[in-house]
Short mmCIF file of all heavy atoms in Angstrom, two decimals:
data_model
loop_
_atom_site.label_atom_id
_atom_site.label_comp_id
_atom_site.label_asym_id
_atom_site.label_seq_id
_atom_site.Cartn_x
_atom_site.Cartn_y
_atom_site.Cartn_z
N PRO O 1 -4.02 10.33 3.12
CA PRO O 1 -5.39 10.38 3.35
C PRO O 1 -6.18 9.13 2.93
O PRO O 1 -5.78 8.48 2.01
CB PRO O 1 -5.90 11.63 2.67
CG PRO O 1 -4.88 11.84 1.52
CD PRO O 1 -3.60 11.25 2.05
N ASN O 2 -7.21 8.84 3.63
CA ASN O 2 -8.08 7.72 3.34
C ASN O 2 -9.44 8.11 3.45
O ASN O 2 -9.92 8.38 4.49
CB ASN O 2 -7.73 6.55 4.29
CG ASN O 2 -8.19 5.17 3.76
OD1 ASN O 2 -8.71 5.06 2.62
ND2 ASN O 2 -8.04 4.17 4.53
N PRO O 3 -10.17 8.32 2.38
CA PRO O 3 -10.01 7.77 1.04
C PRO O 3 -8.88 8.57 0.26
O PRO O 3 -8.71 9.76 0.53
CB PRO O 3 -11.27 7.92 0.32
CG PRO O 3 -12.03 8.93 1.04
CD PRO O 3 -11.52 8.91 2.47
N ALA O 4 -8.24 7.88 -0.73
CA ALA O 4 -7.21 8.54 -1.51
C ALA O 4 -7.78 8.91 -2.84
O ALA O 4 -8.61 8.26 -3.43
CB ALA O 4 -6.08 7.53 -1.70
N GLU O 5 -7.25 10.06 -3.33
CA GLU O 5 -7.64 10.54 -4.65
C GLU O 5 -6.40 11.00 -5.36
O GLU O 5 -5.95 12.18 -5.06
CB GLU O 5 -8.70 11.65 -4.56
CG GLU O 5 -9.21 12.03 -5.90
CD GLU O 5 -10.35 13.02 -5.75
OE1 GLU O 5 -10.74 13.48 -4.65
OE2 GLU O 5 -10.87 13.40 -6.87
N GLY O 6 -5.78 10.26 -6.18
CA GLY O 6 -4.54 10.60 -6.83
C GLY O 6 -3.27 10.08 -6.25
O GLY O 6 -2.35 9.68 -6.96
N ALA O 7 -3.19 10.07 -4.92
CA ALA O 7 -1.97 9.53 -4.25
C ALA O 7 -2.29 9.16 -2.78
O ALA O 7 -3.26 9.76 -2.20
CB ALA O 7 -0.82 10.58 -4.25
N ALA O 8 -1.55 8.17 -2.27
CA ALA O 8 -1.70 7.87 -0.87
C ALA O 8 -0.35 7.71 -0.24
O ALA O 8 0.63 7.27 -0.91
CB ALA O 8 -2.46 6.53 -0.74
N THR O 9 -0.21 8.10 1.03
CA THR O 9 1.03 7.97 1.70
C THR O 9 0.85 6.84 2.77
O THR O 9 -0.12 6.91 3.59
CB THR O 9 1.46 9.27 2.42
OG1 THR O 9 1.60 10.24 1.37
CG2 THR O 9 2.81 9.13 3.11
N VAL O 10 1.74 5.97 2.86
CA VAL O 10 1.72 4.83 3.81
C VAL O 10 2.96 4.96 4.69
O VAL O 10 4.08 4.99 4.13
CB VAL O 10 1.73 3.46 3.10
CG1 VAL O 10 1.75 2.30 4.12
CG2 VAL O 10 0.50 3.31 2.17
N ARG O 11 2.76 5.06 5.97
CA ARG O 11 3.87 5.08 6.90
C ARG O 11 3.95 3.80 7.73
O ARG O 11 2.82 3.40 8.18
CB ARG O 11 3.75 6.32 7.72
CG ARG O 11 3.78 7.63 7.02
CD ARG O 11 4.27 8.74 7.86
NE ARG O 11 4.15 10.02 7.15
CZ ARG O 11 4.90 10.39 6.15
NH1 ARG O 11 5.87 9.65 5.75
NH2 ARG O 11 4.68 11.62 5.60
N LEU O 12 5.09 3.35 7.97
CA LEU O 12 5.31 2.14 8.77
C LEU O 12 6.21 2.58 9.98
O LEU O 12 7.30 2.97 9.77
CB LEU O 12 5.99 1.05 7.95
CG LEU O 12 6.16 -0.32 8.56
CD1 LEU O 12 4.76 -0.81 8.96
CD2 LEU O 12 6.90 -1.21 7.64
N THR O 13 5.66 2.48 11.11
CA THR O 13 6.44 2.90 12.37
C THR O 13 6.91 1.65 13.12
O THR O 13 6.23 0.58 13.10
CB THR O 13 5.52 3.74 13.26
OG1 THR O 13 4.38 3.07 13.67
CG2 THR O 13 5.15 5.06 12.57
N GLY O 14 8.08 1.85 13.73
CA GLY O 14 8.54 0.78 14.63
C GLY O 14 9.43 -0.18 13.97
O GLY O 14 9.93 -1.09 14.59
N ALA O 15 9.62 -0.15 12.67
CA ALA O 15 10.45 -1.12 11.95
C ALA O 15 11.83 -0.53 11.76
O ALA O 15 11.93 0.57 11.32
CB ALA O 15 9.78 -1.46 10.59
N ALA O 16 12.87 -1.33 11.93
CA ALA O 16 14.24 -0.84 11.83
C ALA O 16 14.90 -1.28 10.54
O ALA O 16 15.78 -0.57 10.10
CB ALA O 16 15.07 -1.39 13.01
N GLY O 17 14.50 -2.30 9.94
CA GLY O 17 15.17 -2.79 8.75
C GLY O 17 14.48 -2.65 7.51
O GLY O 17 13.54 -1.81 7.38
N PRO O 18 14.81 -3.40 6.52
CA PRO O 18 14.19 -3.36 5.20
C PRO O 18 12.72 -3.65 5.30
O PRO O 18 12.30 -4.41 6.18
CB PRO O 18 14.89 -4.38 4.34
CG PRO O 18 16.10 -4.83 5.11
CD PRO O 18 15.82 -4.44 6.51
N ALA O 19 11.92 -3.17 4.36
CA ALA O 19 10.48 -3.30 4.42
C ALA O 19 9.93 -3.50 2.98
O ALA O 19 10.50 -2.98 2.05
CB ALA O 19 9.80 -2.14 5.05
N ARG O 20 8.89 -4.30 2.87
CA ARG O 20 8.20 -4.49 1.59
C ARG O 20 6.70 -4.08 1.78
O ARG O 20 6.12 -4.23 2.82
CB ARG O 20 8.24 -5.99 1.29
CG ARG O 20 9.58 -6.42 0.82
CD ARG O 20 9.50 -7.90 0.41
NE ARG O 20 9.03 -8.67 1.51
CZ ARG O 20 9.64 -9.71 2.01
NH1 ARG O 20 10.73 -10.14 1.49
NH2 ARG O 20 9.12 -10.38 2.99
N LEU O 21 6.16 -3.50 0.75
CA LEU O 21 4.81 -3.11 0.68
C LEU O 21 4.19 -3.59 -0.60
O LEU O 21 4.74 -3.55 -1.63
CB LEU O 21 4.66 -1.61 0.77
CG LEU O 21 3.28 -1.04 0.65
CD1 LEU O 21 2.74 -0.95 2.13
CD2 LEU O 21 3.28 0.31 0.06
N ARG O 22 2.97 -4.13 -0.44
CA ARG O 22 2.19 -4.47 -1.65
C ARG O 22 0.71 -4.06 -1.47
O ARG O 22 0.16 -4.03 -0.31
CB ARG O 22 2.33 -5.91 -2.05
CG ARG O 22 1.63 -6.98 -1.17
CD ARG O 22 1.94 -8.35 -1.65
NE ARG O 22 1.23 -9.35 -0.92
CZ ARG O 22 1.57 -9.85 0.24
NH1 ARG O 22 2.70 -9.48 0.79
NH2 ARG O 22 0.80 -10.68 0.86
N VAL O 23 0.12 -3.69 -2.60
CA VAL O 23 -1.30 -3.30 -2.55
C VAL O 23 -2.08 -4.25 -3.42
O VAL O 23 -1.65 -4.46 -4.59
CB VAL O 23 -1.46 -1.80 -2.99
CG1 VAL O 23 -2.90 -1.43 -2.85
CG2 VAL O 23 -0.54 -0.88 -2.17
N VAL O 24 -3.09 -4.82 -2.88
CA VAL O 24 -3.90 -5.78 -3.58
C VAL O 24 -5.33 -5.26 -3.89
O VAL O 24 -5.93 -4.65 -2.93
CB VAL O 24 -4.00 -7.13 -2.78
CG1 VAL O 24 -4.79 -8.16 -3.53
CG2 VAL O 24 -2.69 -7.60 -2.38
N ASP O 25 -5.79 -5.36 -5.12
CA ASP O 25 -7.14 -4.84 -5.44
C ASP O 25 -8.21 -5.81 -5.03
O ASP O 25 -7.93 -6.92 -4.56
CB ASP O 25 -7.18 -4.59 -7.00
CG ASP O 25 -7.26 -5.77 -7.86
OD1 ASP O 25 -7.38 -6.90 -7.37
OD2 ASP O 25 -7.17 -5.63 -9.06
N PRO O 26 -9.48 -5.48 -5.15
CA PRO O 26 -10.59 -6.36 -4.71
C PRO O 26 -10.60 -7.72 -5.40
O PRO O 26 -11.23 -8.64 -4.79
CB PRO O 26 -11.83 -5.55 -5.10
CG PRO O 26 -11.37 -4.12 -5.11
CD PRO O 26 -9.95 -4.12 -5.55
N LEU O 27 -9.95 -7.87 -6.54
CA LEU O 27 -9.97 -9.18 -7.19
C LEU O 27 -8.75 -10.04 -6.83
O LEU O 27 -8.55 -11.05 -7.39
CB LEU O 27 -10.03 -8.94 -8.73
CG LEU O 27 -11.29 -8.25 -9.25
CD1 LEU O 27 -11.19 -7.99 -10.73
CD2 LEU O 27 -12.57 -9.07 -8.87
N GLY O 28 -7.95 -9.51 -5.95
CA GLY O 28 -6.73 -10.29 -5.49
C GLY O 28 -5.52 -10.04 -6.35
O GLY O 28 -4.47 -10.70 -6.13
N ARG O 29 -5.54 -9.10 -7.22
CA ARG O 29 -4.36 -8.75 -8.12
C ARG O 29 -3.48 -7.75 -7.35
O ARG O 29 -3.98 -6.78 -6.80
CB ARG O 29 -4.80 -8.20 -9.42
CG ARG O 29 -5.64 -9.16 -10.21
CD ARG O 29 -6.10 -8.52 -11.48
NE ARG O 29 -7.06 -7.42 -11.13
CZ ARG O 29 -7.91 -6.92 -11.95
NH1 ARG O 29 -8.07 -7.29 -13.15
NH2 ARG O 29 -8.71 -5.88 -11.54
N VAL O 30 -2.19 -7.93 -7.46
CA VAL O 30 -1.24 -6.98 -6.85
C VAL O 30 -1.12 -5.79 -7.83
O VAL O 30 -0.70 -5.92 -8.99
CB VAL O 30 0.17 -7.61 -6.60
CG1 VAL O 30 1.17 -6.56 -6.14
CG2 VAL O 30 -0.03 -8.76 -5.63
N VAL O 31 -1.49 -4.59 -7.40
CA VAL O 31 -1.39 -3.39 -8.21
C VAL O 31 -0.19 -2.56 -7.90
O VAL O 31 0.18 -1.71 -8.73
CB VAL O 31 -2.70 -2.55 -8.09
CG1 VAL O 31 -3.87 -3.30 -8.59
CG2 VAL O 31 -2.83 -2.04 -6.66
N ALA O 32 0.54 -2.77 -6.79
CA ALA O 32 1.73 -2.07 -6.48
C ALA O 32 2.58 -2.97 -5.57
O ALA O 32 2.10 -3.67 -4.75
CB ALA O 32 1.43 -0.77 -5.75
N ARG O 33 3.87 -2.87 -5.80
CA ARG O 33 4.86 -3.64 -4.99
C ARG O 33 6.15 -2.73 -4.84
O ARG O 33 6.60 -2.31 -5.88
CB ARG O 33 5.18 -4.90 -5.69
CG ARG O 33 6.03 -5.85 -4.83
CD ARG O 33 6.28 -7.14 -5.64
NE ARG O 33 5.04 -7.71 -6.07
CZ ARG O 33 4.59 -8.96 -5.75
NH1 ARG O 33 5.31 -9.70 -5.03
NH2 ARG O 33 3.45 -9.34 -6.23
N VAL O 34 6.49 -2.45 -3.62
CA VAL O 34 7.63 -1.58 -3.38
C VAL O 34 8.51 -2.19 -2.25
O VAL O 34 8.01 -2.70 -1.25
CB VAL O 34 7.17 -0.18 -2.90
CG1 VAL O 34 8.30 0.80 -2.73
CG2 VAL O 34 6.12 0.36 -3.88
N GLU O 35 9.73 -2.12 -2.46
CA GLU O 35 10.70 -2.55 -1.42
C GLU O 35 11.62 -1.38 -1.02
O GLU O 35 12.01 -0.61 -1.94
CB GLU O 35 11.49 -3.74 -1.83
CG GLU O 35 10.71 -4.97 -2.09
CD GLU O 35 11.53 -6.27 -2.30
OE1 GLU O 35 12.64 -6.32 -1.72
OE2 GLU O 35 11.00 -7.10 -3.01
N ARG O 36 11.94 -1.25 0.21
CA ARG O 36 12.84 -0.16 0.68
C ARG O 36 13.83 -0.77 1.64
O ARG O 36 13.57 -1.66 2.38
CB ARG O 36 11.97 0.83 1.44
CG ARG O 36 11.00 1.62 0.69
CD ARG O 36 11.62 2.86 0.12
NE ARG O 36 10.79 3.52 -0.81
CZ ARG O 36 10.32 4.75 -0.75
NH1 ARG O 36 10.59 5.46 0.27
NH2 ARG O 36 9.55 5.26 -1.69
N PRO O 37 15.08 -0.16 1.56
CA PRO O 37 16.09 -0.65 2.52
C PRO O 37 15.79 -0.21 3.96
O PRO O 37 16.22 -0.87 4.91
CB PRO O 37 17.38 0.02 2.07
CG PRO O 37 16.93 1.13 1.18
CD PRO O 37 15.51 0.83 0.60
N ALA O 38 15.03 0.81 4.15
CA ALA O 38 14.65 1.23 5.50
C ALA O 38 13.12 1.50 5.44
O ALA O 38 12.52 1.94 4.51
CB ALA O 38 15.35 2.51 5.89
N ALA O 39 12.45 1.09 6.53
CA ALA O 39 11.01 1.17 6.60
C ALA O 39 10.57 2.54 7.06
O ALA O 39 10.18 2.68 8.22
CB ALA O 39 10.48 0.00 7.55
N ASP O 40 10.64 3.55 6.22
CA ASP O 40 10.17 4.85 6.54
C ASP O 40 8.74 5.17 6.07
O ASP O 40 7.84 5.50 6.87
CB ASP O 40 11.14 5.90 6.16
CG ASP O 40 11.51 5.82 4.63
OD1 ASP O 40 11.02 4.84 4.00
OD2 ASP O 40 12.28 6.65 4.21
N GLY O 41 8.48 5.03 4.86
CA GLY O 41 7.16 5.26 4.30
C GLY O 41 7.20 5.26 2.76
O GLY O 41 8.30 5.17 2.13
N TRP O 42 6.03 5.26 2.18
CA TRP O 42 5.91 5.23 0.74
C TRP O 42 4.76 6.13 0.31
O TRP O 42 3.79 6.34 1.03
CB TRP O 42 5.43 3.85 0.32
CG TRP O 42 6.28 2.73 0.68
CD1 TRP O 42 7.38 2.21 -0.13
CD2 TRP O 42 6.35 1.90 1.82
NE1 TRP O 42 7.99 1.19 0.51
CE2 TRP O 42 7.41 0.96 1.69
CE3 TRP O 42 5.60 1.90 2.91
CZ2 TRP O 42 7.67 0.06 2.68
CZ3 TRP O 42 5.87 0.97 3.94
CH2 TRP O 42 6.91 0.05 3.79
N THR O 43 4.99 6.76 -0.85
CA THR O 43 3.92 7.53 -1.51
C THR O 43 3.58 6.77 -2.71
O THR O 43 4.41 6.50 -3.60
CB THR O 43 4.38 8.98 -1.82
OG1 THR O 43 4.70 9.65 -0.58
CG2 THR O 43 3.28 9.71 -2.55
N LEU O 44 2.27 6.39 -2.89
CA LEU O 44 1.77 5.65 -3.98
C LEU O 44 0.84 6.46 -4.90
O LEU O 44 -0.01 7.05 -4.35
CB LEU O 44 1.04 4.42 -3.45
CG LEU O 44 1.69 3.47 -2.47
CD1 LEU O 44 0.74 2.54 -1.86
CD2 LEU O 44 2.83 2.79 -3.18
N ALA O 45 1.14 6.48 -6.15
CA ALA O 45 0.26 7.10 -7.07
C ALA O 45 -0.92 6.20 -7.37
O ALA O 45 -0.79 5.11 -7.76
CB ALA O 45 0.97 7.47 -8.41
N THR O 46 -2.10 6.72 -7.06
CA THR O 46 -3.31 5.87 -7.21
C THR O 46 -4.18 6.33 -8.44
O THR O 46 -5.26 5.76 -8.59
CB THR O 46 -4.23 5.94 -5.95
OG1 THR O 46 -4.58 7.24 -5.71
CG2 THR O 46 -3.42 5.42 -4.76
N ASP O 47 -3.73 7.35 -9.18
CA ASP O 47 -4.54 7.86 -10.25
C ASP O 47 -4.88 6.88 -11.34
O ASP O 47 -5.78 7.00 -12.02
CB ASP O 47 -3.97 9.18 -10.78
CG ASP O 47 -2.51 9.03 -11.20
OD1 ASP O 47 -1.86 8.04 -10.85
OD2 ASP O 47 -2.00 9.98 -11.83
N GLY O 48 -4.05 5.78 -11.48
CA GLY O 48 -4.37 4.78 -12.53
C GLY O 48 -5.16 3.65 -11.99
O GLY O 48 -5.48 2.66 -12.70
N TRP O 49 -5.60 3.63 -10.72
CA TRP O 49 -6.31 2.54 -10.07
C TRP O 49 -7.81 2.84 -10.23
O TRP O 49 -8.22 3.87 -10.08
CB TRP O 49 -5.94 2.41 -8.64
CG TRP O 49 -4.55 2.09 -8.36
CD1 TRP O 49 -3.44 1.98 -9.29
CD2 TRP O 49 -3.86 2.03 -7.10
NE1 TRP O 49 -2.32 1.74 -8.65
CE2 TRP O 49 -2.51 1.78 -7.32
CE3 TRP O 49 -4.33 2.05 -5.81
CZ2 TRP O 49 -1.62 1.54 -6.27
CZ3 TRP O 49 -3.47 1.90 -4.72
CH2 TRP O 49 -2.06 1.64 -4.97
N ALA O 50 -8.53 1.72 -10.31
CA ALA O 50 -9.99 1.91 -10.32
C ALA O 50 -10.45 2.24 -8.87
O ALA O 50 -9.85 1.79 -7.93
CB ALA O 50 -10.62 0.53 -10.71
N PRO O 51 -11.59 2.94 -8.76
CA PRO O 51 -12.16 3.25 -7.45
C PRO O 51 -12.49 1.95 -6.76
O PRO O 51 -12.93 0.96 -7.40
CB PRO O 51 -13.39 4.05 -7.81
CG PRO O 51 -13.20 4.62 -9.16
CD PRO O 51 -12.35 3.55 -9.82
N GLY O 52 -12.26 1.89 -5.44
CA GLY O 52 -12.57 0.67 -4.73
C GLY O 52 -11.82 0.54 -3.42
O GLY O 52 -11.11 1.47 -3.05
N VAL O 53 -11.94 -0.55 -2.79
CA VAL O 53 -11.23 -0.84 -1.54
C VAL O 53 -10.10 -1.77 -1.78
O VAL O 53 -10.28 -2.82 -2.37
CB VAL O 53 -12.23 -1.46 -0.47
CG1 VAL O 53 -11.46 -1.75 0.83
CG2 VAL O 53 -13.38 -0.52 -0.24
N TYR O 54 -8.88 -1.35 -1.39
CA TYR O 54 -7.63 -2.13 -1.65
C TYR O 54 -7.11 -2.62 -0.29
O TYR O 54 -7.39 -1.90 0.73
CB TYR O 54 -6.66 -1.24 -2.33
CG TYR O 54 -6.98 -0.93 -3.79
CD1 TYR O 54 -7.97 0.05 -4.04
CD2 TYR O 54 -6.49 -1.61 -4.81
CE1 TYR O 54 -8.28 0.34 -5.40
CE2 TYR O 54 -6.77 -1.30 -6.13
CZ TYR O 54 -7.78 -0.35 -6.35
OH TYR O 54 -8.10 -0.09 -7.70
N THR O 55 -6.37 -3.61 -0.22
CA THR O 55 -5.66 -4.12 0.96
C THR O 55 -4.18 -3.75 0.79
O THR O 55 -3.58 -4.08 -0.21
CB THR O 55 -5.84 -5.66 1.05
OG1 THR O 55 -7.18 -5.91 1.08
CG2 THR O 55 -5.12 -6.12 2.39
N VAL O 56 -3.68 -3.07 1.81
CA VAL O 56 -2.26 -2.71 1.88
C VAL O 56 -1.60 -3.62 2.73
O VAL O 56 -2.01 -3.78 3.96
CB VAL O 56 -2.14 -1.26 2.30
CG1 VAL O 56 -0.61 -0.90 2.40
CG2 VAL O 56 -2.84 -0.36 1.41
N VAL O 57 -0.52 -4.33 2.43
CA VAL O 57 0.24 -5.30 3.19
C VAL O 57 1.65 -4.84 3.35
O VAL O 57 2.37 -4.70 2.30
CB VAL O 57 0.14 -6.73 2.62
CG1 VAL O 57 0.88 -7.71 3.52
CG2 VAL O 57 -1.29 -7.13 2.32
N ALA O 58 2.13 -4.54 4.57
CA ALA O 58 3.49 -4.13 4.80
C ALA O 58 4.20 -5.26 5.62
O ALA O 58 3.64 -5.82 6.55
CB ALA O 58 3.50 -2.86 5.56
N GLU O 59 5.44 -5.58 5.18
CA GLU O 59 6.21 -6.58 5.89
C GLU O 59 7.57 -6.04 6.30
O GLU O 59 8.23 -5.47 5.43
CB GLU O 59 6.38 -7.85 5.00
CG GLU O 59 5.04 -8.46 4.62
CD GLU O 59 5.24 -9.60 3.56
OE1 GLU O 59 6.15 -9.42 2.74
OE2 GLU O 59 4.47 -10.53 3.63
N ALA O 60 7.92 -6.14 7.57
CA ALA O 60 9.20 -5.63 8.02
C ALA O 60 9.54 -6.38 9.33
O ALA O 60 8.66 -6.62 10.16
CB ALA O 60 9.19 -4.14 8.24
N ASP O 61 10.84 -6.62 9.56
CA ASP O 61 11.28 -7.22 10.81
C ASP O 61 10.52 -8.55 11.15
O ASP O 61 10.29 -8.77 12.33
CB ASP O 61 11.24 -6.21 11.97
CG ASP O 61 12.05 -4.94 11.71
OD1 ASP O 61 13.07 -5.03 11.05
OD2 ASP O 61 11.74 -3.92 12.33
N GLY O 62 10.16 -9.29 10.20
CA GLY O 62 9.44 -10.51 10.42
C GLY O 62 7.99 -10.36 10.74
O GLY O 62 7.33 -11.37 11.07
N ALA O 63 7.45 -9.18 10.72
CA ALA O 63 6.05 -8.92 11.06
C ALA O 63 5.26 -8.45 9.78
O ALA O 63 5.86 -7.93 8.92
CB ALA O 63 5.89 -7.94 12.16
N THR O 64 3.97 -8.69 9.81
CA THR O 64 3.10 -8.26 8.69
C THR O 64 2.03 -7.40 9.31
O THR O 64 1.40 -7.84 10.27
CB THR O 64 2.51 -9.52 7.97
OG1 THR O 64 3.64 -10.29 7.47
CG2 THR O 64 1.67 -9.04 6.83
N ALA O 65 1.72 -6.31 8.62
CA ALA O 65 0.62 -5.43 9.01
C ALA O 65 -0.29 -5.24 7.74
O ALA O 65 0.24 -5.15 6.67
CB ALA O 65 1.12 -4.07 9.46
N ARG O 66 -1.59 -5.23 7.95
CA ARG O 66 -2.53 -5.05 6.88
C ARG O 66 -3.48 -3.91 7.28
O ARG O 66 -3.82 -3.79 8.37
CB ARG O 66 -3.41 -6.30 6.67
CG ARG O 66 -2.60 -7.46 6.22
CD ARG O 66 -3.51 -8.70 6.15
NE ARG O 66 -2.74 -9.90 6.10
CZ ARG O 66 -2.21 -10.46 5.01
NH1 ARG O 66 -2.48 -9.88 3.85
NH2 ARG O 66 -1.55 -11.58 5.02
N THR O 67 -3.89 -3.16 6.22
CA THR O 67 -4.94 -2.11 6.40
C THR O 67 -5.67 -2.00 5.05
O THR O 67 -5.25 -2.49 4.08
CB THR O 67 -4.30 -0.79 6.85
OG1 THR O 67 -5.34 0.06 7.35
CG2 THR O 67 -3.47 -0.14 5.78
N ARG O 68 -6.74 -1.26 5.12
CA ARG O 68 -7.55 -0.98 3.88
C ARG O 68 -7.29 0.42 3.40
O ARG O 68 -7.06 1.33 4.21
CB ARG O 68 -9.02 -1.11 4.25
CG ARG O 68 -9.40 -2.45 4.72
CD ARG O 68 -9.68 -3.38 3.56
NE ARG O 68 -10.05 -4.71 4.12
CZ ARG O 68 -9.89 -5.85 3.56
NH1 ARG O 68 -9.10 -5.86 2.50
NH2 ARG O 68 -10.29 -6.96 4.06
N LEU O 69 -7.34 0.57 2.12
CA LEU O 69 -7.17 1.86 1.46
C LEU O 69 -8.33 2.01 0.50
O LEU O 69 -8.54 1.16 -0.35
CB LEU O 69 -5.85 1.89 0.67
CG LEU O 69 -5.65 3.15 -0.15
CD1 LEU O 69 -5.55 4.40 0.66
CD2 LEU O 69 -4.35 3.01 -1.02
N ILE O 70 -9.06 3.09 0.60
CA ILE O 70 -10.16 3.36 -0.27
C ILE O 70 -9.71 4.40 -1.28
O ILE O 70 -9.22 5.44 -0.99
CB ILE O 70 -11.37 3.90 0.50
CG1 ILE O 70 -11.81 2.94 1.55
CG2 ILE O 70 -12.52 4.32 -0.47
CD1 ILE O 70 -12.79 3.47 2.61
N VAL O 71 -9.92 4.03 -2.57
CA VAL O 71 -9.57 4.99 -3.71
C VAL O 71 -10.83 5.46 -4.34
O VAL O 71 -11.73 4.65 -4.64
CB VAL O 71 -8.66 4.20 -4.75
CG1 VAL O 71 -8.43 5.08 -5.99
CG2 VAL O 71 -7.35 3.72 -4.15
N VAL O 72 -10.96 6.80 -4.42
CA VAL O 72 -12.08 7.42 -5.02
C VAL O 72 -11.66 8.24 -6.23
O VAL O 72 -10.52 8.52 -6.43
CB VAL O 72 -12.83 8.30 -3.99
CG1 VAL O 72 -13.34 7.47 -2.85
CG2 VAL O 72 -11.90 9.46 -3.54
N ARG O 73 -12.59 8.67 -7.03
CA ARG O 73 -12.38 9.57 -8.18
C ARG O 73 -13.13 10.87 -7.87
O ARG O 73 -14.13 11.01 -7.44
CB ARG O 73 -12.91 9.03 -9.48
CG ARG O 73 -12.03 7.87 -9.88
CD ARG O 73 -10.83 8.25 -10.58
NE ARG O 73 -9.91 7.17 -10.63
CZ ARG O 73 -8.82 7.09 -9.91
NH1 ARG O 73 -8.46 8.03 -9.09
NH2 ARG O 73 -8.05 6.05 -10.00
#
């Protein structure tokens, strides 16, 4: 769900190989980094993150996708 409260699920469709995901806070710091051998999806615990708007960057099969994630309390 977006906004997220406690956890967020990120799904990446159309990718066949390994995938990387990183989440960047409003100050440009990486708060999460996950790599998977298959690009199915990730569940991220957001309960330790400050409320705000984060950038989610997923990379797979030579392509990059970005989206926003809003964390609330």
